[in-house]
Amino acid sequence: NPYEWGQIEVKDGEIHLTGEKKFFVITEKTYSDFVFEGDVFIPEGKANSGFIFRGLVKPNKVWGYQAEVDGSEVRKWSGGLYDEGRRQWFISPIKGNKESEAAFRARAGEAFKRNDWNTYRITCQGTKIKIEVNGVVTTEVEDDKDASGVIAIQPHGEKGATYKFRNLRIKELK
């Protein structure tokens, strides 16, 4: 945890993250081309999370690509590609672009199961990025902003809420 806050607990094979504000738990190693898989269970109520990949780190700051975990029953952007700390919603979907938002919801809006475990699969090879949620391809784009970096898990920091992660695994691609 590169942050001065946030509680991390391992319980029954799960990683539980609790905090008063957003933080990330990062890998010690950086990765370039890989397939990453992991399960996430977000708390009830207002909740948001994500998986950072090819991320960059400073004390109390992590930024880079993020596979969105969106707990909203309205927005439904889980599996979208967010650029944490930089371009934000720049490609899948493009925030404010009604056509892009509608196309994203049409292909991905029902993939995320609220109040249940959700499996994410992120594949990066060269400039190609693919995000899948529960077997549904939600994002498939090309971007050359970052070629390598850490992988991280994130709780958004709703007071007293615990985010759960399990079955985190990575396979490097040659």
Side-chain angles (χ1 to χ4, degrees), residues 64-88:
Y65 295 125
Q66 176 178 296
E68 180 75 357
V69 179
D70 181 8
S72 167
E73 297 287 344
V74 177
R75 193 172 76 161
K76 297 186 175 188
W77 285 6
S78 286
L81 179 60
Y82 184 73
D83 192 3
E84 174 75 26
R86 298 184 298 201
R87 300 173 290 175
Q88 301 179 344

Side-chain angles (χ1 to χ4, degrees), residues 67-136:
E68 180 75 357
V69 179
D70 181 8
S72 167
E73 297 287 344
V74 177
R75 193 172 76 161
K76 297 186 175 188
W77 285 6
S78 286
L81 179 60
Y82 184 73
D83 192 3
E84 174 75 26
R86 298 184 298 201
R87 300 173 290 175
Q88 301 179 344
W89 292 105
F90 74 105
I91 195 166
S92 178
I94 301 167
K95 187 175 183 178
N97 179 314
K98 299 298 181 202
E99 186 177 296
S100 174
E101 291 178 9
F104 183 84
R105 276 192 207 92
R107 79 175 166 272
E110 300 305 316
F112 187 82
K113 306 301 179 204
R114 195 64 170 98
N115 302 313
D116 202 353
W117 285 99
N118 289 273
T119 300
Y120 275 65
R121 181 182 177 108
I122 301 163
T123 305
C124 291
Q125 193 154 28
T127 59
K128 295 178 182 177
I129 298 169
K130 181 164 73 170
I131 302 170
E132 298 167 78
V133 178
N134 297 322
V136 175

Side-chain angles (χ1 to χ4, degrees), residues 32-86:
S32 297
D33 293 345
F34 58 86
V35 177
F36 168 83
E37 291 181 346
D39 300 333
V40 60
F41 191 105
I42 61 175
E44 291 183 14
K46 184 179 177 185
N48 183 286
S49 181
F51 294 95
I52 289 277
F53 56 98
R54 291 184 173 173
L56 305 166
V57 182
K58 285 184 182 177
N60 296 316
K61 184 174 181 177
V62 174
W63 69 99
Y65 295 125
Q66 176 178 296
E68 180 75 357
V69 179
D70 181 8
S72 167
E73 297 287 344
V74 177
R75 193 172 76 161
K76 297 186 175 188
W77 285 6
S78 286
L81 179 60
Y82 184 73
D83 192 3
E84 174 75 26
R86 298 184 298 201

Side-chain angles (χ1 to χ4, degrees), residues 1 3-7 17-25 48 60-61 84 153-161 163:
N1 181 1
Y3 292 80
E4 295 172 10
W5 58 87
Q7 179 183 348
L17 304 180
T18 309
E20 302 278 322
K21 55 187 173 178
K22 172 174 69 176
F23 69 99
F24 296 89
V25 178
N48 183 286
N60 296 316
K61 184 174 181 177
E84 174 75 26
I153 54 178
Q154 174 221 12
H156 208 258
E158 290 75 23
K159 188 174 184 169
Y163 290 73

